[in-house]
Amino acid sequence: MSIASRPYVGRFAPSPTGPLHFGSLVAAVGSFLEARAHGGRWLLRIEDVDAPRTTPGAADGIIATLARFGFEWDGDIVWQSGRLDAYRQAFEQLQAAGHVFACACTRRELADSTLARDGSRIYPGTCRNGLPPGRAPHAWRVRAEGTVAFVDRIQGPQREDLGSEVGDFVVLRGDGQFAYQLAVVVDDAAAGVTDIVRGADLLGSTGRQIHLQHLLGVPTPGYAHLPVVVNAAGEKLSKQTLAAPLDDHAPTPSLAAALAFLGQEPPADLARASRDEIWAWARAHWSLACVPRQLCALPPAQAAAS
Ligand code: GLU
């Protein structure tokens, strides 16, 4: 069955690096409402594959905040830390088909390589045809060549030349950690996700993920990348930029602000409505077509003040 004819399955996939903030709320609201507008399922996955980057207690905090904000997910929460066998299997499939190679290059050796648009280094191909004598692997990379094109439902047509704009990318690190790119593709495929709605900061990862879907022989979902919330300095809200955590005790102003950020034009008095009234309004009025076709924007209060 083609993915377009399968019942809609969406998801929200936070990384437990800290508490939810307004930026992550926007991604949760957009993916949730789009799934419900299609009568679809909405799954929750905790992306704790990168153990060293995971903050103890953050996942429980995220789940509690989502529940306080009135999100309802379908089925059990998936934890990437419990899915290592599936990642290993996918890695072995890629390896058996000759798509991965061991790479000995250190970060320092790659420091002069050109930057890809997500800030990673475009791999110059040093170990593509075998490790240099006497060197041990630091990582395993997947060969990336050819062009990936897709139409993003918000940002429009996208095209990426994997060889010149992305380069061979890491799927398994020397410390045994599977890369986010591999984990996300394996998990979305296993869960039957048909549609991915997430922040545009991940637009630069999508070409890599579609490439992996092709190599693994799994369907490519539809994509819609929402504008990312930035602060006055133009930085994405994150733990690093000290984004304020959401207030679990006052969900309604943040929910109303998230709807405004997503171009849904909630009535001014909605911020004073109850949580359930906001959701009822949001479900009745949600339209992906109203989401601004922008890669990033200030949150509503700051946009109004500037
Ligand atoms: N875990 C990623 C993040 O929190 C999102 C991954 C995704 O939606 O594909 O940025």
Side-chain angles (χ1 to χ4, degrees):
M1 189 162 36
S2 94
I3 206 152
S5 55
R6 295 205 332 231
Y8 190 109
V9 181
R11 49 62 157 188
F12 177 54
S15 302
T17 51
L20 280 188
H21 50 73
F22 184 68
S24 21
L25 178 67
V26 162
V29 166
S31 62
F32 177 72
L33 288 172
E34 186 61 8
R36 293 301 189 238
H38 284 83
R41 289 163 55 77
W42 185 73
L43 313 179
L44 178 58
R45 180 169 74 230
I46 301 294
E47 300 216 312
D48 58 348
V49 67
D50 193 345
R53 280 188 59 231
T54 296
T55 307
D60 291 341
I62 289 173
I63 294 165
T65 301
L66 288 172
R68 287 297 293 243
F69 272 64
F71 288 96
E72 288 163 1
W73 51 90
D74 296 297
D76 293 337
I77 298 173
V78 169
W79 296 74
Q80 285 191 328
S81 52
R83 306 247 322 129
L84 301 184
D85 286 349
Y87 308 147
R88 177 153 301 285
Q89 234 173 54
F91 175 79
E92 285 169 2
Q93 183 185 335
L94 294 172
Q95 200 172 33
H99 297 309
V100 292
F101 62 91
C103 171
C105 300
T106 60
R107 204 179 284 259
R108 192 177 312 158
E109 285 167 330
L110 297 175
D112 294 335
S113 312
T114 318
L115 280 178
R117 83 171 142 161
D118 68 348
S120 61
R121 298 280 166 189
I122 300 179
Y123 186 64
T126 323
C127 303
R128 258 195 150 208
N129 300 315
L131 288 176
R135 298 286 302 267
H138 263 271
W140 280 261
R141 291 177 183 270
V142 70
R143 297 176 201 280
E145 46 218 14
T147 301
V148 170
F150 65 100
V151 179
D152 188 89
R153 290 177 57 215
I154 297 169
Q155 308 293 342
Q158 309 289 318
R159 171 176 287 273
E160 210 163 37
D161 182 76
L162 294 173
S164 64
E165 294 177 80
V166 176
D168 304 329
F169 55 93
V170 172
V171 282
L172 175 59
R173 300 203 312 238
D175 61 3
Q177 297 282 327
F178 290 99
Y180 154 72
Q181 308 291 358
L182 182 69
V184 92
V185 166
V186 170
D187 288 341
D188 285 333
V193 169
T194 60
D195 290 85
I196 294 178
V197 179
R198 62 185 180 187
D201 52 317
L202 292 160
L203 200 50
S205 287
T206 308
R208 270 168 257 213
Q209 293 170 16
I210 293 176
H211 180 57
L212 285 175
Q213 288 153 7
H214 293 165
L215 297 182
L216 290 167
V218 300
T220 291
Y223 286 97
H225 285 89
L226 306 165
V228 168
V229 187
V230 291
N231 62 20
E235 302 160 325
K236 179 192 159 195
L237 298 195
S238 69
K239 191 176 151 194
Q240 286 73 27
T241 58
L242 307 178
L246 292 171
D247 181 353
D248 280 7
H249 301 291
T252 51
S254 298
L255 284 172
L259 290 168
F261 180 86
L262 290 168
Q264 307 300 304
E265 301 187 0
D269 55 3
L270 203 64
R272 290 185 296 279
S274 72
R275 188 193 77 179
D276 293 350
E277 281 165 339
I278 294 208
W279 280 121
W281 184 92
R283 282 177 182 238
H285 292 86
W286 171 254
S287 163
L288 193 77
C290 293
V291 174
R293 279 191 164 220
Q294 284 168 238
L295 293 174
C296 61
L298 289 168
Q302 282 175 44
S306 64

